[in-house]
Amino acid sequence: MMEKHMTTYKETQKTIRAYKYALWLISWDQETEMPKKALDYRTEQIAVLTERLYEVESNPDYIQAVEKLYEQIDKLDESFAIEIKKMNKSLEIIRKVPKKELLDYQILQAVSASHWAHAKETNDFSVFQRSLEKIVDFNRKLTEYLKTDELKGYDVLLDMYEEGFTTKEYDHFFNKLKEELVPFVLSATKQKLKISRKLAKGYFDPIKQKEFSQYLTEVFHFDQERGVLKESIHPFTSNVSSSDVRITTAYKTDILESSIFSTLHELGHAIYEQQVDPKYDGTILGGGASLGIHESQSRMYENMIGRSYAFWEVHYPKLQEIFKKELKNISLLEFYQYINISKRSLIRTEADELTYPLHIMVRYEIEKELINGKLKVKDLPRRWRQLMAEYVGIRPKTDTEGVLQDIHWSLGNIGYFPTYALGSAYAAQIYHAMNSEINVESAIENNHINLINEWLKEKIHQYGASKTPREILINTTKMDFDPSFYIEYLKRKFSY
Ligand code: ZN
C-alpha cells in the first residue's frame, strides 16, 4: 500500500514541477523581457496552466497519498519525512477552507491588486476600501478555519509566513524596538548631515552602473553558470533550483547607489539559493528556510557587508575608476557617510537601515488590530498617519505616500511584513556568531567574500527549507532569537 502512495506522490510531484516550471519561466519573462502588448495573449495561456495545475494539486488520489504517507511518517527516511510533513501542512487550506470560498478569494486577489493600483495612482483610498474589507474578512475567517490549540487569530497568519513566530515573539521584539530604537532614531535623525551635491544631484550612466553591478557579482562569487543578472522595474530574485537562480536590479540615472544596493541585496538572496544542497531541488525543501531567514541573508550582504567602511576601502577605487568624472574629489569617507545617512522618510522601500524597522512596526500594529477586530478598514488612513507620526516622526500628507504605498495587502498578504524586520534582526545575531568564528572584517578587507559564503553555506544555506527558522538560528548562533544584537548594532553604527 505504502508503495502505491509513494508512486502516486512522486509521479504527481513530477507533473506539478513541470507546470510550475513553465509558469515560473513565464513570470520571469514577464518581469524582464516581455513586450507590453504581449500581455493579453499570455494571460490566456497562464489561465489554462493555472487551472490544470490546481486540478493536479487537488486531485483526491494525490491528497490521499500525502495523508497516508503522513500517517506512516516514522517509516520514511529523514528528509522525505520532513518533506511529507511540510506537504501535509500545506494542504490544510485545501482541506479546511470550503472550495468556493477559496476560489472566490483567488479571484478577489487578482482584482483587488488593480483596485489598489488605481487607488494609489489617484490618491483615493475609497477605491480600494471595499476590496480590502473583503480581504480582511477572508483572512479573519481563515484564522477560524485553521486555528489549532496553539495558534489563534493573527498568530495563525504570522505562523504561515514564519513558522514558530507569533504575537508573543513579535510583541517582545517590537516592544524592545519601541522602547530603545524609537527615541534613538528621533534624536539621531534630528541633525542634518551635509551631502555633496555631486552625489545627490548627478547623472549616472546606466551602462557604467551595469558594469559595476557585474563587478559586484564577481566580488560575491555569484556563479554565472547557474544564474544571471538582468533588469526589472522592481529588483527581485527568482529561482527554480540551485542551478538556476536569477536576479534583477534597476538602474536609476539620478541615484547612483540605488542599483548598487539592490544588486547587493539580491545577491544575498541568490548566494543562499545557489548554496542549497541540490538534493532538495524541485521539492518543497528547496529554497530558503523562511522569509525571515532569507531576508537576513539579503540584508546582511546589503547593509552589514555592503555599507561597511571595510567594503568600500577595497571597492571604492573601482567605482571611482568607472565614474571618473562624477566621483572626482569625492573622498571615500564622504561616500561612506553618504550611503549611511539616516533620515525620517515616508516610503518603506526607500527607508534607510536605521528607520526601516519602524516602518514595519506601523504595519504590524495595524495588521494586529485589523485581524482582532479593533480597527475598521475605513479608519486605516487615519490610524496610519497617527502611527507614522508616533514611530517614525513624520506624517504623510497623502494616502499614496501613506497607507496605499505597498502592494502586499491587496495580494492578501497579511502577516508577511513582520518578517522583513525580523530578517534584519536575525542578520545582526548571525553576523555576531559568524564574527566569533571567522574575522569577517578582514575577509571583507582582503576581498575574500568566499570565506563568508562558505561559513553561511555550512551553517545555513545547505539545509534549504529542511529546518525551521528557529532550528537554523539555534544551529547557527547557539541561542534562540535575541533582538538585542540588532539594537546594539544599529546604535553603534548610527551614533555619531
Ligand atoms: Zn529581500
Side-chain angles (χ1 to χ4, degrees):
M1 255 338 241
M2 183 100 146
E3 203 68 5
K4 192 188 117 208
H5 297 312
M6 192 84 97
T7 313
T8 305
Y9 178 76
K10 297 233 151 134
E11 284 302 312
T12 310
Q13 274 296 316
K14 226 168 133 181
T15 312
I16 291 173
R17 270 202 292 279
Y19 277 110
K20 285 197 171 162
Y21 183 67
L23 285 163
W24 169 75
L25 206 53
I26 290 171
S27 92
W28 165 259
D29 175 80
Q30 186 160 330
E31 302 293 333
T32 54
E33 308 281 349
M34 184 190 80
K36 240 189 207 150
K37 293 196 170 166
L39 189 63
D40 289 348
Y41 183 81
R42 154 186 313 245
T43 305
E44 284 172 34
Q45 321 316 323
I46 292 176
V48 174
L49 289 169
T50 310
E51 207 185 308
R52 290 275 187 279
L53 176 60
Y54 181 82
E55 278 166 23
V56 177
E57 281 185 314
S58 61
N59 183 312
D61 289 345
Y62 169 65
I63 292 184
Q64 195 200 28
V66 175
E67 284 168 349
K68 292 289 176 199
L69 289 168
Y70 183 67
E71 281 169 18
Q72 307 194 46
I73 199 158
D74 298 341
K75 296 189 185 124
L76 307 175
D77 78 62
E78 202 193 339
S79 72
F80 190 58
I82 301 172
E83 180 178 336
I84 289 299
K85 192 176 159 215
K86 271 197 170 238
M87 196 54 89
N88 186 58
K89 195 180 172 191
S90 77
L91 292 175
E92 281 286 86
I93 289 193
I94 294 182
R95 276 195 292 260
K96 291 190 174 162
V97 183
K99 190 176 169 189
K100 186 170 176 337
E101 281 182 42
L102 201 58
L103 291 177
D104 283 351
Y105 182 60
Q106 280 169 0
I107 295 165
L108 173 66
Q109 283 170 307
V111 179
S112 73
S114 72
H115 288 162
W116 163 78
H118 187 203
K120 185 179 176 183
E121 219 176 277
T122 54
N123 186 35
D124 184 356
F125 182 73
S126 71
V127 174
F128 179 44
Q129 187 180 321
R130 191 68 204 113
S131 295
L132 187 56
E133 279 165 357
K134 287 185 192 162
I135 284 172
V136 171
D137 282 349
F138 178 83
N139 276 279
R140 292 187 66 183
K141 269 204 258 172
L142 192 63
T143 64
E144 282 299 314
Y145 288 132
L146 300 181
K147 74 176 176 198
T148 63
D149 289 342
E150 295 82 38
L151 299 172
K152 287 181 182 56
Y154 188 35
D155 286 349
V156 173
L157 304 177
L158 290 172
D159 183 77
M160 268 163 46
Y161 292 100
E162 192 75 10
E163 196 184 331
F165 281 80
T166 60
T167 39
K168 185 171 160 256
E169 287 78 14
Y170 279 119
D171 278 348
H172 174 70
F173 174 41
F174 286 117
N175 282 337
K176 241 180 128 66
L177 292 186
K178 224 180 284 179
E179 277 163 36
E180 304 206 23
L181 213 53
V182 170
F184 178 77
V185 170
L186 292 182
S187 85
T189 53
K190 239 181 210 147
Q191 52 182 18
K192 281 205 169 83
L193 271 173
K194 237 176 74 225
I195 314 168
S196 151
R197 277 187 65 84
K198 273 188 136 174
L199 280 167
K201 296 229 169 11
Y203 171 83
F204 305 96
D205 187 345
I207 294 172
K208 293 184 188 173
Q209 292 194 44
K210 203 168 171 175
E211 189 187 338
F212 191 71
S213 271
Q214 279 298 341
Y215 167 79
L216 289 176
T217 64
E218 285 154 30
V219 169
F220 280 83
H221 301 266
F222 175 61
D223 184 346
Q224 308 261 7
E225 291 187 342
R226 297 188 292 140
V228 289
L229 167 66
K230 295 264 174 159
E231 280 172 58
S232 66
I233 298 168
H234 304 287
F236 65 95
T237 298
S238 181
N239 62 285
V240 74
S241 71
S242 60
S243 56
D244 194 346
V245 181
R246 307 177 184 202
I247 57 175
T248 67
T249 192
Y251 302 110
K252 297 182 179 164
T253 54
D254 55 339
I255 315 174
L256 172 63
E257 73 278 15
S258 173
S259 70
I260 296 176
F261 291 105
S262 291
T263 301
L264 288 171
H265 182 95
E266 303 310 328
L267 277 171
H269 285 304
I271 304 287
Y272 189 171
E273 291 292 342
Q274 286 192 334
Q275 298 204 112
V276 171
D277 190 327
K279 76 175 179 197
Y280 298 129
D281 282 353
T283 73
I284 200 171
L285 305 184
S290 69
L291 291 167
I293 298 288
H294 232 302
E295 203 61 11
S296 78
Q297 303 303 284
S298 57
R299 290 196 186 262
M300 187 191 293
Y301 282 59
E302 175 193 351
N303 293 327
M304 307 189 75
I305 300 171
R307 288 183 208 268
S308 70
Y309 191 78
F311 185 78
W312 289 102
E313 257 184 317
V314 192
H315 305 291
Y316 189 59
K318 177 73 182 176
L319 190 66
Q320 270 187 316
E321 182 194 313
I322 296 175
F323 293 95
K324 255 188 216 80
K325 208 172 73 223
E326 298 85 343
L327 297 181
K328 201 178 153 200
N329 302 328
I330 292 176
S331 68
L332 167 62
L333 184 66
E334 249 178 300
F335 181 75
Y336 168 76
Q337 284 173 339
Y338 170 69
I339 58 173
N340 283 294
I341 285 171
S342 176
K343 58 178 184 302
R344 301 174 198 178
S345 62
L346 293 169
I347 309 295
R348 174 186 64 86
T349 54
E350 290 162 14
D352 57 78
E353 194 183 356
L354 178 64
T355 56
Y356 188 86
L358 308 180
H359 289 259
I360 300 301
M361 239 162 68
V362 171
R363 289 150 178 82
Y364 173 70
E365 292 293 337
I366 286 179
E367 287 185 349
K368 203 160 66 167
E369 291 171 6
L370 282 175
I371 297 300
N372 67 26
K374 265 193 198 154
L375 178 66
K376 297 246 178 313
V377 168
K378 71 171 171 44
D379 298 324
L380 250 180
R382 183 189 49 80
R383 185 72 178 129
W384 183 281
R385 288 191 288 271
Q386 195 183 25
L387 285 171
M388 277 298 287
E390 195 178 319
Y391 296 160
V392 192
I394 184 169
R395 194 183 281 265
K397 289 199 176 65
T398 68
D399 289 337
T400 299
E401 287 183 318
V403 68
L404 290 172
Q405 64 182 272
D406 295 308
I407 192 173
H408 301 57
W409 290 337
S410 79
L411 300 172
N413 297 331
I414 300 178
Y416 185 126
F417 279 123
T419 68
Y420 286 141
L422 196 59
S424 302
Y426 285 162
Q429 186 174 336
I430 293 167
Y431 189 97
H432 182 86
M434 177 162 67
N435 207 28
S436 66
E437 289 185 22
I438 59 172
N439 188 334
V440 182
E441 201 170 298
S442 108
I444 298 171
E445 275 167 0
N446 294 305
N447 201 15
H448 287 155
I449 302 288
N450 55 313
L451 296 176
I452 295 171
N453 288 350
E454 278 156 24
W455 192 88
L456 292 168
K457 178 181 182 177
E458 188 204 321
K459 305 283 179 179
I460 302 173
H461 299 174
Q462 61 160 325
Y463 297 109
S466 69
K467 290 184 188 295
T468 66
R470 181 163 269 136
E471 284 168 348
I472 290 280
L473 210 60
I474 292 172
N475 186 45
T476 310
T477 69
K478 309 280 173 286
M479 64 176 92
D480 209 338
F481 176 54
D482 181 354
S484 55
F485 291 99
Y486 180 46
I487 292 167
E488 271 164 41
Y489 159 76
L490 288 176
K491 282 190 172 174
R492 205 179 329 117
K493 183 162 180 181
F494 290 93
S495 297
Y496 25 66

